[in-house]
Amino acid sequence: MSQSPQHPANFTRYVWLVYLGALFFPPAFDPTADALDWLVAAALIAGFLPIYAATFRTRNDRQTLILIASLAVLALAGSLVNSGASVFVIYAAAAAGGLYPTRRAVAVLTALVGVVAVMILISPDPTSWRLGTFVSALVFTMVVGATSIFDAERGRASKRLLRADEEIERLATIAERERIARDLHDLLGHTLSVVVLKSELAARLVRADPDQAAEEITDIERIGRKALGEVRAAVAGYRARGLGAELDGACVALRAAGLDVEVHADPTDLRPEQESALAMALREAVTNVVRHARAERAAISITTAGSQVRLRVTDDGRGPSGQTGFGITGMHERIAALGGLVEVGGAKGRDDHGTVVEVTLPVAQPGGHRVRARKVGGR
């Protein structure tokens, strides 16, 4: 009964009912017991069950305190005719663990220990058997109550940490949105203002000086194309976290999906746009493995062969479906724009099970970004 009844698993609350068997020990082991003693035990259990069930539906501490008091009174009265009724105090101690603040739970637990002590004092037949029952109830009340308080406090601490994590994530999201807004404003604010001014000028010159108006329109096109390129570069920067971070994220995602993962990366010199494209290709390949492959193992390798760097993602899943999705299409387009190649096919040597995604890019000139080598095996 170490789990607080405030938030137990549904099946657990019924498992603890096995302790009600303590009420049948006195009539079972008392030679003088008669049918009335068995009826008393059954009546005590019948009175206990509705109160016990209600402890799982309480909405506040006031209701919980009323139910705990009811269990204590039932235990105190029942102990006069059946020492096994002292077990009700243990259930009350378990319920007390969910009270808040903790000092209130401790105070109630102390009072319940006092209730058991009173049972010992008012026992009409202080035999060794009855005293043993009460002492056992006293010990279990303290142990179960303390454990329930600890479990409840740990649960509250976990909820506080979860709320803190959610708040941190929310603030980080807000900060990122604000940063993107600032960057886009700085990137496009001036450019769009120039475009508006030149458009107004071209509109005024279209009749008075058509040649000058054409020059302004040509200039507007040039500025627009330049702005479009800057926006694409900025968006690529937002979407890609870098190849090293993407490798770490890929390992986390694959292992979370239950796959055994092996990762190996040679040192490579990549320009920022190459690293960004390769990182996005890795993300897309790993996403496909997690969502569609139904695999048990995956391997990621980044190697340098001659003047090329090669990313290879393999799995032992069900193999390619034959249909090309938007993600793979986008991967082809990004890599092709950098002079690279993407190949997607079935794994060889595995009875046609599995998929291989291979991305090849030209190695950057000296001065590129260097990706640190690593080798990770296992799950």
Side-chain angles (χ1 to χ4, degrees):
M1 291 177 57
S2 61
Q3 188 172 359
S4 170
Q6 296 295 325
H7 303 286
N10 289 336
F11 70 91
T12 307
R13 64 182 67 173
Y14 302 112
V15 171
W16 300 141
L17 293 177
V18 70
Y19 290 97
L20 294 177
L23 282 95
F24 296 109
F25 288 169
F29 292 96
D30 185 358
T32 63
D34 54 18
L36 180 61
D37 294 314
W38 290 95
L39 289 175
V40 168
L44 288 172
I45 293 175
F48 161 80
L49 289 177
I51 303 174
Y52 178 69
T55 60
F56 301 106
R57 299 190 297 271
T58 56
R59 298 179 179 271
N60 51 57
D61 281 2
R62 182 174 178 274
Q63 294 179 0
T64 301
L65 286 170
I66 293 173
L67 294 172
I68 291 173
S70 300
L71 288 174
V73 170
L74 183 63
L76 193 61
S79 66
L80 297 175
V81 291
N82 187 320
S83 60
S86 58
V87 74
F88 298 154
V89 181
I90 304 176
Y91 289 96
L99 296 174
Y100 186 80
T102 303
R103 61 176 179 272
R104 177 182 295 173
V106 173
V108 172
L109 178 60
T110 303
L112 291 173
V113 171
V115 169
V116 180
V118 171
M119 291 181 189
I120 297 175
L121 295 176
I122 66 174
S123 175
D125 183 20
T127 61
S128 59
W129 167 261
R130 294 178 65 87
L131 289 176
T133 303
F134 291 136
V135 170
S136 297
L138 183 65
V139 172
F140 277 102
T141 296
M142 292 187 290
V143 172
V144 171
T147 305
S148 297
I149 291 172
F150 174 78
D151 286 348
E153 186 60 29
R154 183 176 58 182
R156 285 190 286 265
S158 297
K159 289 182 179 180
R160 287 194 295 268
L161 287 175
L162 180 60
R163 286 195 296 269
D165 289 342
E166 291 174 347
E167 181 65 13
I168 291 172
E169 184 177 353
R170 186 183 70 84
L171 294 175
T173 301
I174 293 174
E176 182 67 9
R177 287 174 179 171
E178 292 176 348
R179 183 179 72 85
I180 293 173
R182 284 195 306 270
D183 290 351
L184 290 178
H185 178 270
D186 295 341
L187 185 66
L188 296 178
H190 174 72
T191 301
L192 293 178
S193 297
V194 173
V195 168
V196 170
L197 291 174
K198 284 186 170 292
S199 298
E200 293 175 348
L201 179 59
R204 290 197 299 268
L205 293 174
V206 69
R207 291 185 179 179
D209 192 347
D211 293 336
Q212 183 64 32
E215 290 182 7
E216 295 295 338
I217 293 173
T218 301
D219 205 18
I220 290 172
E221 181 184 4
R222 179 185 61 79
I223 294 172
R225 290 185 180 277
K226 181 181 178 182
L228 181 60
E230 291 175 345
V231 169
R232 285 175 174 170
V235 170
Y238 292 140
R239 293 174 65 184
R241 301 178 296 173
L243 189 53
E246 203 61 48
L247 279 170
D248 293 335
C251 289
V252 172
L254 290 169
R255 287 171 182 156
L259 279 74
D260 289 331
V261 186
E262 182 176 335
V263 178
H264 176 80
D266 290 336
T268 56
D269 289 320
L270 297 171
R271 296 191 302 272
E273 64 270 24
Q274 289 180 313
E275 182 182 2
S276 174
L278 206 62
M280 294 175 69
L282 173 60
R283 182 188 303 181
E284 178 61 31
V286 169
T287 299
N288 286 339
V289 172
V290 171
R291 291 182 178 176
H292 309 300
R294 299 180 184 174
E296 295 181 357
R297 298 177 182 275
I300 302 171
S301 67
I302 299 174
T303 57
T304 301
S307 61
Q308 295 178 329
V309 59
R310 181 171 293 127
L311 165 68
R312 184 180 174 91
V313 180
T314 64
D315 66 75
D316 62 351
R318 59 180 183 175
S321 64
Q323 299 179 346
T324 301
F326 292 108
I328 296 296
T329 300
M331 185 193 305
H332 278 282
E333 293 173 352
R334 284 191 297 271
I335 298 301
L338 297 173
L341 179 66
V342 176
E343 294 179 281
V344 180
K348 297 180 180 180
R350 299 183 182 179
D351 299 327
D352 296 329
H353 291 295
T355 303
V356 177
V357 177
E358 193 169 279
V359 180
T360 306
L361 276 176
V363 176
Q365 297 300 318
H369 182 69
R370 195 170 180 83
V371 180
R372 186 172 56 189
R374 73 184 70 188
K375 188 170 184 179
V376 181
R379 189 170 184 168

